Amino acid sequence: MKLLVTGGAGFIGSNFVLYMLKQHPEYQIVNIDALTYAGNLENLKSVEGNPNHTFVKADITDAKAMDQLIGQGVDVIVNFAAESHVDRSILEPDVFVRTNVLGTQVLLDAAKKHSVKKFVQVSTDEVYGTLGETGLFTEETPLAPNSPYSASKAGGDLLVRAYHETFGLSVNITRCSNNYGPYQFPEKLIPLMISKALANEALPVYGDGLNIRDWLYVEDHCSAIDLVIHQGQNGEVYNIGGNNERTNLHIVRTILEQLGKPESLIKHVQDRPGHDRRYGIDPTKTTQELGWKPRYSFETGIQETIRWYLDNKEWWTRIQSGAYQEYYAKQYGDRL
Ligand code: NAD
Ligand code: TDX
């Protein structure tokens, strides 16, 4: 099996590459990543020299490069490559449309031309919009994205659907809830709060901190995608989530408690515009049809994650220089 993974130097993509090389040591993986601010080859250090992993620096919006790479013969494409941070999409929406919509269409075109056996689009629960106090997102929930990020992901998803309906391309779309774990860029809630707490700096909680996210340890997301590749029914969408809804304040307090830091570090700051109140995934279809089951409870996963950030301080302090400082000042400058 030859897999082409896009965005495999990012958080979930690199975890996925490491997971697949371990689960299926005979598979060949071609890993394409443009190495934006979020891409980091350090994530892949442990597989350096593995003859079954080839890294190619390329942009998924580059039609010629994608045609050439996919034309070399690929069984399955798994598309992780994306601009992924909601706050950045509020500051700079254009690059989100370019990568998440146009990039997906460029990949779909090459997949169609070269008769790729399956295209797996890694999407997000955010395309469904926000929930009230009750109910969960199912695969039938209408798309109602609220941020430029989620709108661009929904655009990509709709193109995947269209290439299936119009051109008969074999596809699956996965929609997962919030991931956490090793190699997550410290702009996202959990690693950001760990790094701030360790530095004894203010932890910026948006609004009242009672927004709810449904958290899944990244390895459990990877195992679900593995099953979708092998058993996903053509044309189907699969929701992925582990029934782990938590308020942001709960997350932040757990981190502070585990690090032995005071709650006085919490600072409520101006809310995110268009901030979705609650996400919650109904994973029944994925658990029943594919036999998927998450391995990590939230309590175990968060402990593992905090341990990883404590053990890998160099990884994230290197990232937090230069361009990161500029972003942090732009995003939080007026709020803190
Ligand atoms: P990330 O930002 O950590 O990684 C994205 C990767 O894509 C980076 O390595 C980056 O260099 C690469 N990339 C960006 N633009 C590119 C381009 N034009 N061409 C090639 N490579 C490009 O993101 P992540 O958190 O790992 O998310 C991966 C995927 O999973 C995304 O599609 C995201 O929408 C989806 N997702 C994320 C979560 C989450 O909680 N993080 C949850 C559900 C779904
Ligand atoms: O400084 C912060 N303070 C804060 O209160 C940050 C960065 C976030 N938050 C809140 C906003 C959200 O309610 O924490 C929650 C989680 O925020 P993010 O980590 O930015 O994630 P979210 O916006 O939920 O989106 C994530 O999950 C779905 C990923 O970034 C997406 O790529 C994925 O699709």
Side-chain angles (χ1 to χ4, degrees):
M1 164 93 87
K2 189 165 169 187
L3 279 182
L4 185 132
V5 173
T6 70
F11 162 49
I12 308 174
S14 63
N15 275 285
F16 180 75
V17 167
L18 301 181
Y19 177 87
M20 291 302 275
L21 288 170
K22 200 160 16 156
Q23 286 303 114
H24 308 282
E26 70 285 10
Y27 285 10
Q28 274 185 53
I29 298 183
V30 178
N31 181 352
I32 294 179
D33 197 296
L35 298 180
T36 68
Y37 79 93
N40 188 347
L41 287 178
E42 273 191 58
N43 305 3
L44 299 160
K45 244 190 175 139
S46 64
V47 293
E48 240 172 45
N50 183 327
N52 285 344
H53 175 245
T54 311
F55 179 79
V56 183
K57 183 174 187 287
D59 191 313
I60 61 164
T61 63
D62 181 343
K64 212 166 137 204
M66 292 309 114
D67 180 43
Q68 202 190 20
L69 283 161
I70 294 164
Q72 287 169 9
V74 169
D75 296 306
V76 175
I77 296 177
V78 188
N79 183 27
F80 290 94
E83 287 296 334
S84 68
H85 193 40
V86 173
D87 292 326
R88 288 184 192 255
S89 82
I90 296 166
L91 295 170
E92 241 179 313
D94 52 343
V95 65
F96 283 73
V97 175
R98 206 179 77 86
T99 290
N100 301 357
V101 183
L102 178 64
T104 302
Q105 185 266 323
V106 165
L107 289 172
L108 287 164
D109 246 4
K112 164 177 156 268
K113 179 172 167 194
H114 298 293
S115 309
V116 168
K117 293 192 192 108
K118 185 184 272 198
F119 187 100
V120 178
Q121 171 76 351
V122 180
S123 190
T124 168
D125 58 1
E126 299 199 16
V127 297
Y128 297 124
T130 190
L131 289 166
E133 280 177 17
T134 57
L136 293 170
F137 297 132
T138 73
E139 290 80 358
E140 275 70 50
T141 302
L143 304 192
N146 292 318
S147 70
Y149 162 69
S150 53
S152 67
K153 288 296 291 185
D157 288 14
L158 292 178
L159 284 163
V160 173
R161 178 191 154 89
Y163 271 65
H164 174 68
E165 296 293 333
T166 305
F167 304 115
L169 189 70
S170 292
V171 306
N172 283 124
I173 297 173
T174 61
R175 298 197 176 122
C176 189
S177 60
N178 285 56
N179 282 216
Y180 67 104
Y183 303 116
Q184 187 165 32
F185 195 87
E187 65 189 352
K188 306 281 168 39
L189 181 74
I190 289 180
L192 178 77
M193 296 304 175
I194 295 172
S195 71
K196 290 287 151 198
L198 287 173
N200 298 310
E201 289 175 10
L203 274 56
V205 170
Y206 296 159
D208 62 8
L210 297 179
N211 299 64
I212 290 173
R213 297 293 181 264
D214 186 357
W215 294 94
L216 187 72
Y217 193 66
V218 62
E219 191 182 305
D220 285 326
H221 187 185
C222 295
S223 69
I225 295 173
D226 188 8
L227 286 170
V228 169
I229 290 173
H230 294 97
Q231 297 172 40
Q233 295 296 308
N234 188 11
E236 293 296 307
V237 175
Y238 292 95
N239 280 357
I240 304 168
N243 299 112
N244 273 308
E245 290 186 42
R246 300 283 189 281
T247 64
N248 294 336
L249 264 182
H250 175 89
I251 302 285
V252 171
R253 287 190 177 127
T254 304
I255 292 169
L256 288 170
E257 192 189 320
Q258 294 205 13
L259 292 174
K261 300 286 181 181
E263 287 200 7
S264 55
L265 286 175
I266 294 176
K267 180 151 191 213
H268 288 269
V269 299
Q270 195 192 328
D271 210 351
R272 171 187 280 174
H275 195 178
D276 287 336
R277 192 64 175 167
R278 175 177 163 248
Y279 302 144
I281 281 274
D282 178 350
T284 309
K285 179 175 172 184
T286 306
T287 53
Q288 290 190 352
E289 272 188 27
L290 307 181
W292 175 75
K293 226 172 96 186
R295 283 184 56 219
Y296 290 82
S297 68
F298 183 73
E299 288 64 34
T300 312
I302 194 78
Q303 264 176 24
E304 298 264 329
T305 304
I306 292 175
R307 168 65 33 217
W308 190 87
Y309 280 87
L310 284 170
D311 290 345
N312 292 277
K313 212 167 166 188
E314 273 181 26
W315 179 88
W316 53 268
T317 43
R318 252 199 294 282
I319 288 171
Q320 285 179 322
S321 60
Y324 179 88
Q325 294 298 336
E326 274 167 46
Y327 162 73
Y328 198 81
K330 215 194 272 181
Q331 172 64 20
Y332 296 93
D334 299 336
R335 299 185 185 199
L336 280 169

